[in-house]
Amino acid sequence: MSPLSSSLLNPRLSFSLKPLFLFSQSSFAPRKFQIPRQFVSAKRKTFSALASEQSSATDNGGRSGGGGRSGALSPSPVVEEVQRIDVNPPKGTRDFPPEDMRLRTWLFNHFREVSRLFGFEEVDYPVLESEVLFIRKAGEEIRDQLYCFEDRGNRRVALRPELTPSLARLVIQKGKSLSLPLKWFAIGQCWRYERMTRGRRREHYQWNMDILGLPEVTAEAELISSIVAFFKRIGITESDVGFKVSSRKVLQEVLRCYSVPENLFGKVCIIIDKIEKIPIDEIKRELNATGLSEEAIEELLQVLSIKSLTKLEEILGGAGEAVAELKELFSLAEKFGYSEWIQFDASVVRGLAYYTGIVFEGFDRQGKLRAICGGGRYDRLLSTFGGDDVPACGFGFGDAVIVELLKEKGLLPKLNLEVDNIVCALDYDLQGVAAEVATKLREKGQSVDLVLESKPLKWVFKRAARTNAQRLVLVGNTEWQKGMVGVKILSSGEQYEIKLDELE
Amino acid sequence: MSPLSSSLLNPRLSFSLKPLFLFSQSSFAPRKFQIPRQFVSAKRKTFSDLASEQSSATDNGGRSGRGGRSGALSPSPVVEEVQRIDVNPPKGTRDFPPEDMRLRTWLFNHFREVSRLFGFEEVDYPVLESEALFIRKAGEEIRDQLYCFEDRGNRRVALRPELTPSLARLVMQKGKSLSLPLKWFAIGQCWRYERMTRGRRREHYQWNMDILGLPEVTAEAELISSIVAFFKRIGMTESYVGFKVSSRKVLQEVLRCYSVPENLFGKVCIIIDKIEKIPIDEIKRELNATGLSEEAIEELLQVLSIKSLTKLEEILGGAGEAVADLKELFSLSEKFGYSEWIQFDASVVRGLAYYTGF
């Protein structure tokens, strides 16, 4: 057995380096490339001289018994002074150690599977984009919190706050080569720069699904349908969540009655979106600042409080598009089988300037959480980038709120590491056979945790328990002489010997 | 059938809007929030006024037959002036339209599946890290090309050029809660800032597999085994690809004979790594600048040209770790069944300062 218990090798941490002791190089590691001539003219040592120096310096000599290397680490080629680094990820960002990664993978697999079931194709774009893609002067929060900077070439770039502008850019780039309607999805990390006093995240992952080339409300209906499908897959029902639906055209119609110019629509919507976040007087004041009259503001706020499509129709009349489209959507929701999941709510405008029609957001019925997802129609985005407009609608669904919701409902899956086999050689010379067993099992699609060091059986069992291994395959001299290996099924305790070529 | 054949609805592109015409707002859209009082005091129109205005403006009236919306789009709530944007992704980066994404997904699925078959667990870290994590003063190319910047809070951060320092950081963070050996993998995007005159990429995805807690050479053997498994899965054989293997300890042993201090090893390795990329005289010059004598340099370069482990053993003797480790690896590769894939080549040092063995 290789000696591994040198005090330098803490079983938990391979090194317990005390940076200050081992690496205090500052006395003889000048920062410049020149080293004192004394080193250069020192007498050249022979390799055997070196070897004996090493032997006396370590616990185990140059070599340990079994042919493996010595347990102690030889003084390393240390590269430089130690920098004490912060072991935490940058403020507002997350690491994903195995357990967190398993949850994320589980979630993303559901995103992908639903997208696949709905016939959407996956795409991706760079996380870094030109800042210009996100500069919309409508006063959106997304712009205030843009994570932008100058790159080494003095170009203004930004870590994307959302995926839709990149989609628009790629669609314009591809131009006529695309065949419509387009159904694309993406799962990408988005960033914002926010003052950390609020303890909020600076990055999150977002699942986006977009349909381009369809002006009909059936597109929005299909998108909401896909989110419903996703919720159902993970055990969330219409009693847990719902969708509030409205249309930007409602606001448009009210504002047009006051001849408010269209270029102000975006700004007005952004202000309205803050209704539940800042005091109503502040809202009124901001609306006034855009030039709206008191009368217009009053009417606007009244309309926004409407929670029934029938009432809306009374107010707006039946001739406008806002009511027609919303009625169409609710009718489709019946046909698509999810009318219990959606409700009209005129106060929903969403915080992005570019929505032009139906908008919706997923909410938690208990009212404890922020919006789970949000989306809508954005028929005019491409032209703002210099391209030809294409009718478009889509949604974004973040990875944070949904996890909080699942926790609330006790629906978080228990995901443990699970390995099919642990394979272990009981004798050092059988390492090769163990590797052969591992290879054979892996070729059959079974996962194998191959034990790569000499360990007592007790240790192997502990590891098997930790990794929820289904079975243990042991390669020992006695069995191997008969061409066999030992197998133990860990759940039942059953054990047997079997010929290597019969091992399944 | 809903009327869709308005000339405004090109089946390929729904609109052909001429930005200059529709959006030349500059005449009446001042940048400030104030709008001319004239709009504010205009007589309020009724919704039916509006509806008739809309009907006459569009081809199909407010509604189309089936209750769907009219084919033409009503004048939109335009958000602002048009910015002509560059439709290409930033220099050196890539978009992944569906066909490219399919290939990437296929590749990553193989990475993941091999990792799973070898019992490795997936992890991930932020693509943005503190710059300090990557500042190693060994002169590595990775450092010269670090994609660093100051964030809005004046902190020096960088888009990671590699995944290993993040792994180290996370392992340190987790401390004693981790049970060794650790077998972790990650697939993450890494960045570099390079002058674009060379037409090279600024980002790529990298599959990493790491084993922590095992000093034995069996760990390296297992890692190489996993890559062989990956190659086989995608149809590559040992006649197309191979692995050149050496050990930093070879260089260490040579340099120690010349009492070169250990803190210079990293730098020397980085210089050596450039052997096939810059002229040999340049290499010699850089080595000289680190303080190595002509004699040391000559011996180093000679050793680096060795392509046979037997020859290496003759030169270095059998007592050092370099030869022992390498012999062990080659022996394991026989047992693991991939000896046809690997060969000894002393010139392989790799370009990262922190390697201590293979």
Side-chain angles (χ1 to χ4, degrees), chain B residues 210-271:
Chain B
D210 292 83
I211 299 177
L212 270 79
L214 270 178
E216 282 92 348
V217 172
T218 38
E220 287 94 317
E222 179 78 331
L223 288 176
I224 296 176
S225 190
S226 71
I227 309 175
V228 169
F230 170 81
F231 280 139
K232 285 175 163 175
R233 279 176 79 88
I234 60 173
M236 283 285 165
T237 70
E238 61 267 42
S239 37
Y240 296 125
V241 303
F243 296 86
K244 291 176 182 168
V245 182
S246 183
S247 171
R248 287 282 176 97
K249 290 179 182 178
V250 171
L251 293 178
Q252 275 181 52
E253 285 179 28
V254 174
L255 293 177
R256 252 190 240 126
C257 289
Y258 292 91
S259 302
V260 173
E262 288 172 11
N263 65 300
L264 290 179
F265 287 162
K267 288 192 179 99
V268 170
C269 291
I270 300 310
I271 298 165

Side-chain angles (χ1 to χ4, degrees), chain A residues 414-428:
Chain A
K414 288 192 183 13
L415 304 162
N416 299 311
L417 169 62
E418 275 173 18
V419 88
D420 296 325
N421 305 278
I422 289 203
V423 174
C424 182
L426 294 175
D427 302 285
Y428 182 81

Side-chain angles (χ1 to χ4, degrees), chain A residues 59-292:
Chain A
D59 281 351
N60 304 305
R63 280 221 258 189
S64 60
R69 74 181 80 150
S70 71
L73 296 162
S74 31
S76 69
V78 163
V79 294
E80 51 211 275
E81 304 94 41
V82 166
Q83 310 241 26
R84 264 246 129 78
I85 55 142
D86 183 354
V87 297
N88 294 309
K91 271 199 151 72
T93 68
R94 295 165 291 173
D95 284 317
F96 289 89
E99 56 280 11
D100 296 347
M101 193 64 195
R102 283 191 289 271
L103 180 61
R104 180 180 125 182
T105 299
W106 172 87
L107 189 67
F108 288 15
N109 281 347
H110 279 295
F111 288 159
R112 283 201 168 88
E113 184 57 8
V114 171
S115 304
R116 185 193 73 82
L117 291 170
F118 276 72
F120 280 60
E121 294 185 277
E122 190 168 3
V123 295
D124 198 11
Y125 337 89
V127 68
L128 201 71
E129 291 267 21
S130 161
E131 182 191 66
V132 169
L133 216 56
F134 309 110
I135 309 287
R136 299 186 290 269
K137 300 177 190 68
E140 296 151 288
E141 190 184 60
I142 214 173
R143 173 69 186 92
D144 293 334
Q145 298 181 343
L146 188 62
Y147 200 125
C148 51
F149 58 92
E150 257 185 45
D151 73 5
R152 287 173 61 169
N154 298 113
R155 268 172 243 101
R156 302 276 325 159
V157 292
L159 289 172
R160 65 190 175 200
E162 48 159 342
L163 300 169
T164 309
S166 301
L167 167 72
R169 179 181 61 63
L170 184 56
V171 167
I172 298 173
Q173 186 199 122
K174 291 283 179 182
K176 296 195 193 326
S177 74
L178 293 175
S179 102
L180 304 181
L182 213 81
K183 296 179 182 180
W184 284 2
F185 82 95
I187 301 172
Q189 194 174 35
C190 296
W191 294 76
R192 69 181 168 197
Y193 190 86
E194 195 174 354
R195 292 280 154 230
M196 286 311 292
T197 48
R198 288 164 71 182
R200 284 175 77 181
R201 292 242 204 101
R202 282 198 173 140
E203 54 79 15
H204 72 151
Y205 282 85
Q206 222 192 53
W207 171 41
N208 274 223
M209 276 176 73
D210 293 83
I211 297 177
L212 271 75
L214 271 177
E216 284 92 348
V217 172
T218 36
E220 287 93 313
E222 179 79 331
L223 289 176
I224 295 175
S225 190
S226 71
I227 308 175
V228 169
F230 171 81
F231 281 137
K232 285 174 163 177
R233 278 176 81 86
I234 60 174
I236 302 236
T237 71
E238 61 267 41
S239 40
D240 300 315
V241 304
F243 295 87
K244 291 176 181 166
V245 182
S246 183
S247 171
R248 287 285 177 93
K249 290 180 179 177
V250 171
L251 294 179
Q252 275 183 51
E253 284 180 29
V254 174
L255 293 177
R256 251 191 240 125
C257 289
Y258 292 91
S259 303
V260 173
E262 287 171 13
N263 64 301
L264 290 180
F265 287 164
K267 289 193 177 96
V268 170
C269 291
I270 300 309
I271 297 165
I272 301 292
D273 182 58
K274 297 191 268 190
I275 269 182
E276 310 216 340
K277 304 162 199 171
I278 66 182
I280 193 68
D281 292 329
E282 180 62 33
I283 299 276
K284 289 182 183 177
R285 204 192 344 233
E286 290 190 25
L287 286 172
N288 201 263
T290 67
L292 264 56

